[in-house]
């Protein structure tokens, strides 16, 4: 497994970006390259993306970067879990070919001025309380696409709004990469795996179950034939007491993320939720499959 920047190399040597381009140029055109972008603190959710990439690609590249442009000054950039040694062990165990431990100074040198934004999609849901967030995400993802020129790239449905935004950006900018959607990996009690879960206290960990529980209940109603979105939303909201600070819970069109009143059975929908649980921001969602 190749790691960039190479450990034990002095800073005066070729920049990591140049090393990365050299690696990329050395790969013959008939090889399928899969890219898995992450912020590290890897868990089974990330591993599921890596495994999917391993099945479908000749070479798998993993990036680990807690991207500062997607955090506001009052957010958890400094306390976001960082477990590089453990992440490298996982990458080795999953047979990753290249790990890029990206570095802020190289990706955002002094004077960096470009913004990438898709306001119609990025200023709703998570974008209301985190207005800077998706511009930061689209910028780093676009940079990684340019650096790696992957054939396929793997994103989790856990971050549903992010996925829709990246798919839209890929279409809008004619990027030649296939976005592979990977299903949410959950704990046995339903909680969606997230790197932030380690920051939950024992009590908050219990309280956090309400997110997935509420989504499963709403999906049951959908499966039983309910098509009025407000009824599904009310069903889900009934699960919440005062233990979590709910940011939003919305029944949405799966592509446009527009709130729905009525769900066309042949189109389905997605329910997205975000909440602050004991000081930790958690998100979850469930797709209501067409029937
Ligand atoms: P992150 O490190 O949180 O930025 O996530 C990196 C990638 O892993 C994103 O595409 C996420 O959607 C995906 N991911 C994170 N958690 C999960 C999960 N529980 N199940 C599936 N994919 C996930």
């Amino acid at each position: 497994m190749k790691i960039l920047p190479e450990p034990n190399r002095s800073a005066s040597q070729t920049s990591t970006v140049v090393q990365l381009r050299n690696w990329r140029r050395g790969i013959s055109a008939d090889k399928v390259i899969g890219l898995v972008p992450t912020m590290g603190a890897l868990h089974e959710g990330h591993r599921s993306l890596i495994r999917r990439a391993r099945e479908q690609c000749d070479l798998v590249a993993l990036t680990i970067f807690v991207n500062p442009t997607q955090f506001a000054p009052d957010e958890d950039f400094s306390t976001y879990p960082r477990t590089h040694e453990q992440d490298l062990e996982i990458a080795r165990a999953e047979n990753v070919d290249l790990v890029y431990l990206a570095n802020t100074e190289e990706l955002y040198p002094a004077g960096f001025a470009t913004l990438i934004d898709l306001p119609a999609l990025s200023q709703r849901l998570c974008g209301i309380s985190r207005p800077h967030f998706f511009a930061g995400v689209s910028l780093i993802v676009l940079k990684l696409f340019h650096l790696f020129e992957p054939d396929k790239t793997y994103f989790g449905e856990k971050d549903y709004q992010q996925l829709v935004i990246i798919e839209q950006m890929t279409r809008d900018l004619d990027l030649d990469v296939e976005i592979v959607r990977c299903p949410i990996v959950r704990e046995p009690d339903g909680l969606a795996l997230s790197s932030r879960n380690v920051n939950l206290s024992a009590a908050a960990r219990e309280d956090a179950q309400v997110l997935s529980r509420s989504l499963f209940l709403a999906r049951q109603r959908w499966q039983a034939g309910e098509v009025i979105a407000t009824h599904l939303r009310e069903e889900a909201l009934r699960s919440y007491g005062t233990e979590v600070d709910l940011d939003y819970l919305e029944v949405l069109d799966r592509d446009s993320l527009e709130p729905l009143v009525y769900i066309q059975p042949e189109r389905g929908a997605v329910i997205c939720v975000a909440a602050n649980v004991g000081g930790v921001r958690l998100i979850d969602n469930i797709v209501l499959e067409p029937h």
Side-chain angles (χ1 to χ4, degrees):
M1 182 173 81
K2 190 175 180 66
I3 302 172
L4 289 179
E6 285 174 9
N8 311 322
R9 276 196 149 206
S10 79
S12 62
Q13 284 171 294
T14 331
S15 82
T16 323
V17 168
V18 172
Q19 291 173 35
L20 198 53
R21 287 204 190 285
N22 290 340
W23 175 80
R24 182 64 187 86
R25 289 199 181 112
I27 295 166
S28 61
D30 60 331
K31 298 284 185 212
V32 177
I33 300 185
L35 174 68
V36 183
T38 78
M39 297 208 296
L42 301 181
H43 51 63
E44 281 298 320
H46 299 114
R47 291 181 89 139
S48 73
L49 271 53
I50 299 171
R51 285 186 197 136
R52 180 75 77 86
R54 194 65 278 171
E55 282 161 22
Q56 300 183 344
C57 304
D58 298 306
L59 287 146
V60 176
L62 173 75
T63 68
I64 296 179
F65 183 48
V66 185
N67 174 36
T69 63
Q70 68 193 60
F71 288 81
D74 60 339
E75 290 181 350
D76 60 349
F77 179 73
S78 60
T79 56
Y80 195 87
R82 289 165 172 86
T83 56
H84 275 181
E85 286 311 313
Q86 197 182 312
D87 290 352
L88 291 176
E89 282 307 306
I90 290 175
R92 259 184 220 105
E94 295 296 346
N95 217 359
V96 165
D97 295 287
L98 176 108
V99 179
Y100 175 37
L101 302 165
N103 112 25
T104 304
E105 290 69 34
E106 276 192 347
L107 288 186
Y108 302 115
F112 190 96
T114 300
L115 273 181
I116 304 288
D117 203 4
L118 296 78
L121 286 169
S122 71
Q123 294 307 316
R124 57 178 65 216
L125 305 169
C126 283
I128 294 173
S129 54
R130 307 186 74 192
H132 50 279
F133 176 63
F134 290 111
V137 169
S138 3
L139 177 61
I140 187 63
V141 168
L142 185 59
K143 276 180 75 90
L144 293 174
F145 285 0
H146 282 310
L147 287 171
F148 283 88
E149 297 176 30
D151 299 285
K152 294 169 183 279
T153 177
Y154 295 80
F155 286 90
E157 286 186 330
K158 157 83 179 2
D159 299 85
Y160 195 89
Q161 187 177 8
Q162 166 176 291
L163 188 47
V164 168
I165 287 174
I166 290 164
E167 287 172 343
Q168 180 75 45
M169 176 180 78
T170 302
R171 281 194 301 276
D172 288 353
L173 300 181
D174 307 302
L175 304 177
D176 191 14
V177 56
E178 180 192 341
I179 313 290
V180 181
R181 287 184 171 214
C182 301
I184 302 177
V185 178
R186 298 179 180 280
E187 298 281 7
D189 68 359
L191 179 70
L193 294 191
S194 161
S195 303
R196 288 191 168 94
N197 290 354
V198 298
N199 290 340
L200 291 168
S201 67
R205 170 67 186 80
E206 284 280 301
D207 293 340
Q209 276 182 41
V210 69
L211 274 73
S212 55
R213 198 167 62 235
S214 71
L215 295 174
F216 294 146
L217 283 172
R219 183 176 60 182
Q220 267 173 22
R221 284 274 303 263
W222 160 254
Q223 287 167 341
E226 179 64 76
V227 291
I228 306 298
T230 44
H231 293 170
L232 295 174
R233 183 166 183 272
E234 281 156 18
E235 174 76 48
L237 287 176
R238 260 199 289 278
S239 302
Y240 292 83
T242 52
E243 63 282 18
V244 310
D245 182 6
L246 193 62
D247 182 359
Y248 63 79
L249 187 150
E250 301 287 348
V251 183
L252 306 156
D253 181 82
R254 290 164 69 176
D255 300 322
S256 68
L257 300 181
E258 288 290 340
L260 296 174
V261 177
Y262 164 79
I263 308 174
Q264 292 175 15
E266 65 283 3
R267 259 188 83 69
V270 61
I271 310 181
C272 292
V273 62
N276 189 306
V277 188
V280 181
R281 185 178 170 83
L282 299 179
I283 59 171
D284 200 352
N285 69 80
I286 205 153
V287 171
L288 306 180
E289 297 289 350
H291 55 63

